[in-house]
Amino acid sequence: MKVHELPQFTALQSAADSFKSDEKLHLRQLCSDSSRCAGLVASHESGDAKIILDYSRQQVTGETMETLFDLADKVGFTAKRDKMRAGAKINSTEGRSVLHHALRMPKGYDYSCNPEGKAILAEVHEVRDKIEEFTNKVRSGEFLGATGKQLKNFVCIGIGGSQLGPEFVNEALKADAKAAKAAEGRNLRFLANVDPVDFELCTRDLDPEETLIVVISKTFTTAETMLNARTAKKWIIDGLAAKGVTDAGTITSKHVIAVSTAIDKCVDFGIDEANIFGFWNWVGGRFSVCSAVGVVPLSLQYSYDVMSSFLDGAHNIDEHFFNAPLRENIPVILGLLGL
């Protein structure tokens, strides 16, 4: 039986119609019911941190929520969630696993529920260690640009999931005191649009001598990304030529890095293989911020320590999602409210 044919789904459709037509179910009336409001709260505590989800301002009642939880049970949500955790290929359109949660597991984590868990975790931390080492060198001044100046500007070139998540996190971290302090004197920019006006606005106040380009493309063939990458590379080369540095190969190796799985294409572009950071086909684009896609540029701007804390927080919520009962599970409740 398909989801829309289940009695729970039909009941939810009827409830939705009632909320539209019954004045007693208007949000003004619902919010005046103190017992209802008190029942539509979930929380998650970890150490000194606590997250409280108050969803009493949603057009639902306790009965609505019970129907939603019943629907989740009926479709086997918990079993499907466990399959995702264990590495089953739940991405049926591409025949892939969905393992973005593995990106934020700490070293030594028991990932035995996945037959390939140990190997996956080893690969994840190999990349994370490489990111930590490189970004620390850039931030400390050990890795310098072609003219010997410290790299303080980071232009992140990507599109879709390679741009949106990292840019959102960048905006959020600006409001965090520790992250903001770590970013002092540095600039992180994102470039997705191929309009030359956008490129001009993105780079007009940056010094090519102090700029590192981060090209993000799994295949290194995405048309928009590669057009911007070529434009940025030329901007760097032309800018440094004016300073007397004319070796394009040296300039590229010092001022362009990549997040990609296409190592040969990156090397052909002039990028030093040591400065190519990989990820895996089980990282969906919209979930890629916790991979090198987000961790490389954000670590350059805010430090790897800050990003490591970010990943630890994401892992904490992963554990809550996988283990908390559905009626207390914040990500599950948010998903059901969306339905």
Side-chain angles (χ1 to χ4, degrees), residues 247-300:
D247 185 340
T250 298
I251 293 171
T252 305
S253 68
K254 290 288 187 178
H255 290 267
V256 186
I257 66 173
V259 177
S260 179
T261 58
I263 294 174
D264 291 347
K265 289 185 174 65
C266 295
V267 171
D268 288 344
F269 193 78
I271 298 171
D272 187 336
E273 186 171 345
N275 301 331
I276 303 168
F277 304 89
F279 55 112
W280 303 269
N281 64 11
W282 43 257
V283 180
R286 71 189 68 184
F287 305 117
S288 61
V289 69
C290 289
S291 71
V293 168
V295 179
V296 168
L298 293 166
S299 293
L300 288 166

Side-chain angles (χ1 to χ4, degrees), residues 15 37 41 57 110 120 130 141 169-170 179 186 235 239 245 257 282:
C37 292
V41 177
R57 271 59 185 170
D110 181 6
I120 288 170
K130 183 178 177 181
V169 174
N170 177 49
R186 295 177 170 83
W235 174 75
V245 181
I257 66 173
W282 43 257

Side-chain angles (χ1 to χ4, degrees), residues 2 76 107-109 128 145 155 179 278:
K2 296 179 180 179
K107 286 183 179 178
Y109 181 79
R128 284 182 58 171
V155 177

Side-chain angles (χ1 to χ4, degrees), residues 6 36 61 81 86 147 153 174 203 208 222 245 266 268 292 328 332:
L6 294 172
R36 169 193 169 274
T61 63
R81 179 185 60 182
T147 61
N153 309 314
K174 289 178 182 179
T203 60
T222 308
V245 181
C266 295
D268 288 344
E328 303 168 20
V332 169

Side-chain angles (χ1 to χ4, degrees), residues 150-287:
Q150 189 167 353
L151 299 166
K152 299 178 180 178
N153 309 314
F154 314 110
V155 177
C156 188
I157 297 176
I159 196 167
S162 297
Q163 173 258 336
L164 196 61
E167 188 164 8
F168 280 176
V169 174
N170 177 49
E171 289 300 312
L173 288 176
K174 289 178 182 179
D176 178 81
K178 181 180 178 182
K181 184 170 180 59
E184 287 178 356
R186 295 177 170 83
N187 294 295
L188 176 59
R189 307 279 173 82
F190 292 87
L191 184 66
N193 193 354
V194 294
D195 190 332
V197 172
D198 270 11
F199 184 85
E200 165 67 18
L201 296 175
C202 178
T203 60
R204 69 192 317 175
D205 61 336
L206 302 182
D207 182 351
E209 292 183 85
E210 299 178 338
T211 301
L212 182 67
I213 306 298
V214 185
V215 184
I216 303 175
S217 174
K218 184 179 287 188
T219 62
F220 222 67
T221 58
T222 308
E224 298 90 342
T225 298
M226 296 317 300
L227 176 56
N228 277 331
R230 290 190 293 271
T231 303
K233 179 180 175 180
K234 183 177 186 302
W235 174 75
I236 292 280
I237 290 172
D238 290 349
L240 269 65
K243 303 291 184 178
V245 181
T246 57
D247 185 340
T250 298
I251 293 171
T252 305
S253 68
K254 290 288 187 178
H255 290 267
V256 186
I257 66 173
V259 177
S260 179
T261 58
I263 294 174
D264 291 347
K265 289 185 174 65
C266 295
V267 171
D268 288 344
F269 193 78
I271 298 171
D272 187 336
E273 186 171 345
N275 301 331
I276 303 168
F277 304 89
F279 55 112
W280 303 269
N281 64 11
W282 43 257
V283 180
R286 71 189 68 184
F287 305 117

